[in-house]
């Protein structure tokens, strides 16, 4: 009944003015575009990225938009780096009330040929880092019973795509992390700490080269960021971008395997990848 009502009545938007927002991977792409959206809402921003020039450029633009912004160079594949910088943020700036785990990496190559180090780093950045940032910042949110944790997953966290097996695996884990964290916060009675999971289709951010899809073409980071912000302000649990994706994923779960495969075949999802695997000669 509640879901049906929401189809016809717009959800009430909350105010995030003055909140301290931390965004990982904010030196480019979706992280940067979302930082700009938070800046427009007069939030205070803590920006993390491994790219010094990129994160400082983002911070400078956020300041131009009227927000306060602090840039940090952080390697989200390193637990000690995360914990050390988190302590610095808490001591010098304050308590983070909105945490957006956005940093991500990908290696578009067949799984057999993927370097062991690349597989490990994909998991370290795309999901394991979420645990370290959560342990660093969410306890304060829980004590205050106020905050928001945003997990950036992907369409690849709901469907499988060949030649990005470690990436899809890590994003399935990210979706599971979001759902489990949501359930745990509810079980602890921390209803004031909200959670959202962002699941976009291809974004024109250079994350993969030459992405394309017949039905859902690649989107500009600015458009995706606006949809993300809309979902955050209405405490939407699962933010699918574009919205059509939610309906397609429902069909994927309801249809028989062969029909679901045909459905995704209609999309003609493509991007540049490498096939290093070779059949051994007899």
């Amino acid at each position: 009944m509640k879901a049906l009502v929401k189809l016809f009545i717009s959800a009430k938007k909350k105010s995030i003015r003055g909140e301290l927002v931390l965004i990982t991977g904010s030196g480019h792409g979706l992280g940067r575009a979302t930082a700009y959206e938070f800046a427009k809402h007069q939030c205070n921003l803590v920006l993390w990225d491994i790219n010094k020039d990129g994160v400082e450029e983002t911070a400078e633009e956020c300041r131009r938009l009227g927000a306060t912004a602090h840039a940090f160079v952080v390697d989200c594949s390193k637990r000690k780096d995360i914990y050390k910088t988190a302590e610095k943020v808490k001591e010098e700036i304050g308590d983070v009330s909105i945490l957006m785990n956005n940093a991500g990496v990908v290696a578009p190559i067949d799984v057999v040929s993927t370097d062991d180090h690349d597989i490990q780093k994909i998991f370290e950045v795309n999901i394991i880092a979420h645990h370290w940032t959560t342990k660093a910042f969410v306890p304060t949110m829980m004590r205050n019973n106020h905050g928001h944790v945003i997990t950036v997953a992907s369409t690849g966290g709901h469907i499988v795509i060949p030649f990005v097996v470690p990436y899809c695996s890590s994003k399935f884990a990210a979706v599971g992390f979001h759902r489990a964290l949501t359930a745990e916060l509810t079980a602890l009675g921390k209803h004031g700490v909200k959670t959202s999971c962002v699941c976009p289709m291809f974004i024109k951010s250079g994350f993969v080269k030459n992405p394309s899809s017949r039905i859902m073409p690649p989107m500009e980071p600015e458009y995706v960021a606006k949809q993300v912000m809309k979902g955050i302000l209405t405490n939407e649990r699962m933010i699918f971008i574009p919205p059509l994706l939610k309906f397609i994923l429902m069909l994927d779960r309801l249809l028989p395997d062969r029909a679901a495969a045909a459905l995704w075949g209609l999309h003609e999802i493509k991007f540049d990848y490498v096939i290093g695997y070779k059949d051994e000669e007899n």
Side-chain angles (χ1 to χ4, degrees), residues 59-279:
E60 184 60 33
E61 178 62 18
C62 288
R63 296 184 193 110
R64 194 190 67 78
L65 291 169
T68 60
H70 309 268
F72 293 86
V73 177
V74 183
D75 184 347
C76 285
S77 70
K78 300 186 184 302
R79 175 173 54 89
K80 290 182 179 179
D81 203 6
I82 289 174
Y83 281 160
K84 180 180 178 180
T85 312
E87 285 303 314
K88 189 173 183 180
V89 168
K90 287 184 278 189
E91 291 172 4
E92 298 180 2
I93 303 170
D95 294 326
V96 170
S97 53
I98 298 178
L99 169 63
M100 183 172 177
N101 284 309
N102 168 74
V105 292
V106 66
I109 184 173
D110 65 282
V111 67
V112 174
S113 304
T114 307
D115 186 80
D116 291 354
H117 172 75
D118 289 339
I119 293 173
Q120 185 169 335
K121 187 163 187 177
I122 286 169
F123 277 87
E124 286 172 342
V125 175
N126 292 6
I127 180 58
I128 297 177
H130 295 207
H131 292 77
W132 312 145
T133 57
T134 297
K135 291 184 71 176
F137 298 112
V138 173
T140 301
M141 298 185 200
M142 295 172 69
R143 283 195 296 271
N144 298 332
N145 197 24
H146 173 79
H148 204 134
V149 181
I150 301 125
T151 301
V152 177
S154 167
T155 301
H158 297 272
I159 63 157
V160 292
I161 303 172
F163 308 114
V164 283
V165 172
Y167 175 79
C168 285
S169 302
S170 69
K171 291 302 183 179
F172 266 82
V175 173
F177 171 85
H178 156 75
R179 295 184 63 180
L181 178 62
T182 302
E184 187 165 297
L185 290 168
T186 300
L188 292 170
K190 303 300 180 181
H191 304 290
V193 182
K194 306 301 182 182
T195 59
S196 296
C197 186
V198 179
C199 300
M201 196 61 187
F202 286 132
I203 303 174
K204 295 179 181 177
S205 62
F207 196 59
V208 292
K209 294 182 179 180
N210 300 314
S212 66
S213 172
R214 180 194 293 176
I215 297 176
M216 293 181 288
M219 303 167 290
E220 296 293 340
E222 293 75 16
Y223 166 77
V224 178
K226 289 182 185 299
Q227 297 304 306
V228 170
M229 184 57 64
K230 187 185 299 183
I232 292 169
L233 295 179
T234 55
N235 294 321
E236 191 172 346
R237 288 275 179 86
M238 196 68 72
I239 306 171
F240 292 107
I241 310 170
L244 173 64
L245 185 58
K246 182 186 294 187
F247 175 70
I248 293 174
L249 289 172
M250 287 175 61
L251 287 179
D252 178 72
R253 283 156 175 74
L254 292 172
L255 292 172
D257 287 347
R258 290 178 64 184
L263 172 68
W264 287 109
L266 292 173
H267 287 259
E268 293 188 0
I269 296 173
K270 298 178 181 178
F271 54 91
D272 289 356
Y273 54 83
V274 175
I275 302 178
Y277 168 75
K278 303 290 185 182
D279 284 323

